[in-house]
Amino acid sequence: MMVRLSQDVPARLASVWKQIRAAEDRCGRKPGSVALLAVSKQQQAAKIRAAFAAGQTSFGESYAQEAAEKMGALETLEVQWHFIGRIQGNKTRQIAERFDWVHSLCNLKHARRLSEQRPVQLPPLRACIQVNLDLEPDKAGLLPAQVTDFITTCAGLPRLKLVGLMALPAPVEDEAARRRPFRALRLMRDRIATPALPLPVLSMGMSADLKAAIAEGATMVRVGTAIFGPRDG
């Protein structure tokens, strides 16, 4: 069964890329302006290997320990690992040492520890700031009013490179309603970006709202089960 599921991955991946390119074209976006992050949490390493063989190099993980096991199994592949889960204080060292990106930065203490724990032989850890656009009390992320001060404080951390913003809006059915939070994140980025800190990355949009996110300026979308099939966990 695992062999068959792994064999399905290239076709699934091609289908997702086709959707992305069609959305770029429909919105007048430059071809290739949207990157795909394959969300591989709770998926077997064999499926990641199959996706890599089909041309996918960026993978998103939410659990540091689970990711570490896959990194060991796939250490011969030039994979770019993105941490997309909620950051725990006791996992910052693993994130700093093993990942290339972190998408869920929203805590100043974590930011300082990630910078301090990033090995000097590696490039600075690329970071997207998570924004809680819907003001949901149980959701991680900075409130919109907190973002500018957070960026100002983090900008001087030497081993951390702020590259953009990330959001996980609440799911809605209406297309116009789907687009509103993505538009809000883009406009926020446009207001706070500077020549010294352009924040080019807008990490937003998943399978259900991919088209809406791309229409509003997403530069990176996150897709998991549409590529890999059902999760193992």
Side-chain angles (χ1 to χ4, degrees), residues 14-74:
S15 177
V16 171
W17 272 117
K18 185 176 180 179
Q19 294 178 52
I20 292 172
R21 297 301 178 235
E24 287 176 336
D25 182 63
R26 187 166 47 250
C27 301
R29 300 280 301 275
K30 181 180 178 181
S33 60
V34 180
L36 171 62
L37 180 60
V39 177
S40 50
K41 66 179 182 180
Q42 296 178 315
Q43 300 286 356
Q44 293 293 324
K47 295 183 184 179
I48 301 175
R49 188 181 294 276
F52 182 87
Q56 180 65 30
T57 57
S58 296
F59 296 89
E61 294 283 337
S62 293
Y63 309 105
Q65 187 56 46
E66 176 194 339
E69 295 173 4
K70 296 176 191 176
M71 290 172 182
L74 302 169

Side-chain angles (χ1 to χ4, degrees), residues 155-213:
L157 296 175
R159 306 297 298 146
L160 200 65
K161 182 177 181 179
L162 298 181
V163 296
L165 305 179
M166 184 275 269
L168 293 165
V172 293
E173 294 296 326
D174 179 67
E175 182 69 12
R178 285 179 179 174
R179 290 183 61 162
R180 276 195 289 271
F182 297 135
R183 184 181 308 122
L185 193 71
R186 172 173 53 82
L187 293 175
M188 176 188 298
R189 189 277 311 277
D190 292 347
R191 286 195 305 271
I192 63 181
T194 66
L197 198 65
L199 302 173
V201 177
L202 289 174
S203 174
M204 59 188 195
M206 298 183 289
S207 296
D209 51 16
L210 179 151
K211 296 175 184 178

